[in-house]
Amino acid sequence: MQNDIKKSIYSWALYDWANSAYATTVMAGFFPIFFKSYYSVGTDVTVSTAQLGIANSVSSFVVVLLAPLLGAIADAGSLKKRFLFLFAFLGILMSASLALVEQGNWELAAFVYALGNVGFMGSNIFYDGLLPSVSDDKNVDFVSGLGFSLGYLGGGILFAFNVFMVQEPDFFGFVDKAEAIKASFISVAVWWALFSLPLLLFVEEKKEHKKEKFSLVLAGYLRLKKTFERVTSLKGLFLFLVAYWFYIDGVDTIIRMAVDYGMALGFDSSSLIMALLIVQFVGFPATLIVAKLAEIWDTKKVIYLSLLIYIVIIVFASMMEKVSEFYILAVMISLVQGGIQALSRSYYSKMIPQKYSAEFFGFYDLLGKFAVILGPLLIAGVALFSHNSRLSIASVATLFVIGGVLLFFVDEKEISKEVREALD
């Protein structure tokens, strides 16, 4: 029995290992570079930045629109795995399909990429929904953390191999770097599919009473409406969520647009890829250190420290001239990227009662998905109107400033008391 439990836990966590390859190699790594130099070749760098920003925003908006529906379906336990693999299949297929898009066809490349993002983000909704099926109150933190850590390692390992492929295309029998990058998109699809199999085979869902599908959809939207009314009535909690929405938008925007910005400055793509590897492998221990610092010091203060570092990152990025400075930027990002995400979640958990955790975290996750819309659009708009890539990246600082100012008025102890009085 104990072995079966361990098998289900590690099988579940391996899905993070599987699909993080898409997040690293495709979303953060090669696609932004390839989009600018291959799919959108000959286009002004600020225009291609806008094109990529819009593709990211549209895909995120689609998932936001679908989230209530997906959440309702996920409540029917026996459908979680089925829909996880439906969306995973979409992401896997689109990742491989990027290899078929011809040079200069940026419209098709953006469309395929957006669909791949929908598959990636949509599958994660059901992946998160399966967590209660493989954990209990005693080990849920460990199990959730295991998935996070394996995602860092799995995505980093394949990305490192893909970087080697692109830097040494002759060694692998490729004609040039472009062919190696296309092959890396296919390798992501294979990796994602292969390491998803343990979840398919060894994770058993907790069975729940099935309802008629239409009533599930309706119940999902009604539940979202009820939760929204409840959260907005709790002014302190709602204030934190608005603050979180602003600053996490800045975090996600930097994750998705940093490489594109480096390309706009004329930095060599190989150097940008190496910088991403720094983020991937330095980020894992840095996240643990930041979490430990929060235990010793204070969660809110460490979040503030992270926001301050992000503002310094933005200012530094807007003045960069050398590739070596991009490496420094990568180290700075890796120090806070994972930590601010982890601490925001734990800080929020201190404010909400245990018996309402699923409901309130559902709303929290929805905001997280919504947060990938504003930032890329902000960059796209500033880039189009100013024709200045430095000004477009500098505009992201406003998201951290607004989030930080709102966070100043948040008192987790008072909010926790307010929530208990309102709900108990």
Side-chain angles (χ1 to χ4, degrees):
M1 179 66 73
Q2 192 66 27
N3 288 336
D4 289 341
I5 293 174
K6 287 184 178 179
K7 182 186 293 184
S8 65
I9 288 173
Y10 282 95
S11 297
W12 175 84
L14 272 174
Y15 184 75
D16 214 320
W17 171 291
N19 77 345
S20 288
Y22 182 85
T24 52
T25 293
V26 180
M27 291 175 65
F30 291 143
F31 185 80
I33 292 173
F34 212 46
F35 185 79
K36 200 173 280 294
S37 65
Y38 187 84
Y39 296 131
S40 191
V41 63
T43 304
D44 182 80
V45 291
T46 55
V47 174
S48 63
T49 293
Q51 293 167 346
L52 181 60
I54 291 170
N56 276 315
S57 293
V58 169
S59 60
S60 299
F61 187 63
V62 169
V63 175
V64 166
L65 291 178
L66 289 176
L69 171 63
L70 300 180
I73 295 173
D75 283 339
S78 60
L79 295 177
K80 289 193 185 83
K81 281 175 62 175
R82 192 176 306 174
F83 277 85
L84 184 154
F85 281 98
L86 176 65
F87 278 90
F89 177 75
L90 174 64
I92 290 167
L93 181 62
M94 292 304 103
S95 181
S97 296
L98 285 172
L100 303 177
V101 180
E102 298 295 332
Q103 185 175 14
N105 196 348
W106 73 265
E107 298 94 341
L108 181 58
F111 178 73
V112 172
Y113 171 69
L115 284 180
N117 288 354
V118 170
F120 172 78
M121 291 185 287
S123 69
N124 278 338
I125 294 174
F126 296 100
Y127 173 65
D128 293 341
L130 284 171
L131 179 58
S133 294
V134 297
S135 63
D136 53 35
D137 292 341
K138 294 180 180 179
N139 67 359
V140 65
D141 291 333
F142 165 75
V143 176
S144 179
L146 179 65
F148 181 78
S149 62
L150 287 182
Y152 259 108
L153 293 176
I157 289 171
L158 182 63
F159 187 41
F161 178 72
N162 290 149
V163 169
F164 181 51
M165 286 171 53
V166 173
Q167 291 183 336
E168 302 291 339
D170 294 341
F171 180 82
F172 293 91
F174 299 125
V175 175
D176 52 23
K177 290 186 177 181
E179 188 173 301
I181 289 177
K182 288 188 173 185
S184 74
F185 292 151
I186 296 174
S187 74
V188 167
V190 173
W191 181 281
W192 190 348
L194 179 64
F195 289 104
S196 296
L197 291 178
L199 188 150
L200 176 66
L201 297 174
F202 304 118
V203 173
E204 295 291 334
E205 301 178 49
K206 291 181 179 179
K207 303 297 181 181
E208 299 180 15
H209 177 66
K210 289 186 179 180
K211 301 177 182 178
E212 194 269 324
K213 287 187 176 65
F214 177 78
S215 66
L216 274 175
V217 174
L218 180 61
Y221 282 100
L222 290 175
R223 184 163 53 255
L224 178 68
K225 180 176 180 292
K226 181 179 179 182
T227 305
F228 180 77
E229 291 173 349
R230 180 175 283 168
V231 169
T232 52
S233 69
L234 301 167
K235 295 181 180 179
L237 188 67
F238 184 66
L239 180 63
F240 167 74
L241 287 171
V242 175
Y244 167 75
W245 182 69
F246 273 104
Y247 71 70
I248 209 66
D249 198 329
V251 173
D252 290 334
T253 299
I254 289 176
I255 291 172
R256 295 197 180 200
M257 302 299 293
V259 169
D260 178 86
Y261 175 64
M263 291 288 290
L265 295 182
F267 294 160
D268 178 70
S269 59
S270 298
S271 299
L272 299 177
I273 291 300
M274 291 304 296
L276 276 180
L277 283 174
I278 291 173
V279 173
Q280 196 68 22
F281 288 105
V282 175
F284 176 66
T287 300
L288 297 177
I289 293 171
V290 169
K292 189 65 178 177
L293 179 61
E295 288 183 3
I296 298 171
W297 194 15
D298 177 79
T299 304
K300 184 178 178 180
K301 289 179 181 178
V302 178
I303 292 176
Y304 254 115
L305 177 62
S306 300
L307 292 176
L308 179 61
I309 292 174
Y310 263 114
I311 292 174
V312 172
I313 286 170
I314 294 296
V315 173
F316 182 74
S318 66
M319 299 187 296
M320 276 193 309
E321 298 287 348
K322 303 175 182 177
V323 173
S324 59
E325 293 173 330
F326 198 85
Y327 288 127
I328 297 173
L329 187 73
V331 173
M332 294 171 67
I333 291 174
S334 66
L335 292 177
V336 289
Q337 179 174 288
I340 195 170
Q341 292 171 314
L343 294 183
S344 297
R345 182 171 59 182
S346 62
Y347 188 64
Y348 182 66
S349 68
K350 297 175 184 178
M351 306 179 199
I352 59 176
Q354 183 69 26
K355 62 181 179 180
Y356 291 104
S357 61
E359 177 182 339
F360 279 88
F361 265 111
F363 196 80
Y364 177 87
D365 291 338
L366 181 63
L367 275 182
K369 292 175 180 64
F370 228 127
V372 201
I373 297 175
L374 180 60
L377 279 181
L378 180 63
I379 284 183
V382 174
L384 284 175
F385 284 104
S386 70
H387 297 283
N388 188 322
S389 297
R390 295 182 184 278
L391 187 60
S392 68
I393 200 70
S395 67
V396 179
T398 59
L399 300 175
F400 293 110
V401 172
I402 294 173
V405 170
L406 294 175
L407 184 64
F408 177 79
F409 298 99
V410 173
D411 186 330
E412 72 272 20
K413 293 181 180 178
E414 286 297 320
I415 292 173
S416 179
K417 180 180 177 181
E418 176 194 21
V419 172
R420 286 197 305 271
E421 290 176 352
L423 300 180
D424 286 349

